[in-house]
Amino acid sequence: MKLLGQILPPTATTRSCRSGRPSPCFLEYVKVKHKEYLELLAWLADMGLGSQLNYRQGSLLRQALKKPGSSFTAKQLKNLFDVSENTARADLRRLEKLQVLAPYRVGKTVEYVARADAAERLRAGFNGANRRRATKVRRR
């Protein structure tokens, strides 16, 4: 995910023009972000995780799969998504349960590293969960 300052040129701001309308750069930024959001939702639905993960978790999952070995902290996610550290920790723990991230301690901080085999673990874990769910439905 790119931050606002990385997409907009330094001269472009989110202030509106004299006419009271948003600047063209800001409108382009909103279009790009909306497109990224829709692409992420479609990608999560294709993976079968659309109803299980929220947008923050989905974008973190995509980043972890693109860059194995990268590390994440609750503080980083807090600043990136503008959420509380508890919410960021919950998102990280959710991806840990999916076996995409592995936690490790650095002093008092818990960092989560993207596993190199995250895609395989995700496929295996998700397929296993579907099989268990299908078995439970048949027993009823």
Side-chain angles (χ1 to χ4, degrees):
M1 297 292 307
K2 294 183 180 178
L3 299 175
L4 178 66
Q6 294 171 326
I7 290 179
L8 293 176
T11 57
T13 63
T14 58
R15 287 181 281 150
S16 54
C17 300
R18 288 182 184 168
S19 64
R21 295 182 185 160
S23 68
C25 292
F26 179 70
L27 292 176
E28 185 62 32
Y29 169 77
V30 171
K31 286 180 187 178
V32 167
K33 285 298 173 186
H34 183 68
K35 182 180 175 188
E36 286 178 8
Y37 174 75
L38 294 176
E39 287 173 355
L40 179 63
L41 291 180
W43 179 74
L44 288 173
D46 288 345
M47 289 190 66
L49 296 169
S51 62
Q52 296 180 22
L53 299 178
N54 61 37
Y55 176 77
R56 295 182 311 273
Q57 294 165 344
S59 61
L60 185 60
L61 171 65
R62 179 179 261 183
Q63 191 173 3
L65 293 176
K66 279 184 181 178
K67 297 179 183 177
S70 57
S71 65
F72 307 95
T73 63
K75 194 168 199 167
Q76 288 172 332
L77 295 182
K78 172 191 170 240
N79 295 328
L80 181 64
F81 294 114
D82 195 29
V83 295
S84 71
E85 283 195 38
N86 285 338
T87 300
R89 272 189 220 91
D91 290 346
L92 289 166
R93 283 190 213 112
R94 176 70 179 118
L95 293 179
E96 178 191 357
K97 284 182 183 178
L98 291 174
Q99 299 182 346
V100 173
L101 300 177
Y104 68 96
R105 293 189 72 82
V106 177
K108 292 183 179 181
T109 305
V110 177
E111 290 192 15
Y112 291 80
V113 65
R115 297 176 184 255
D117 60 347
E120 293 82 26
R121 286 175 176 264
L122 190 60
R123 276 190 225 105
F126 187 66
N127 290 338
N130 280 345
R131 281 190 222 116
R132 284 191 298 265
R133 192 176 300 128
T135 304
K136 288 181 182 178
V137 170
R138 285 187 209 133
R139 289 182 193 164
R140 290 181 186 174

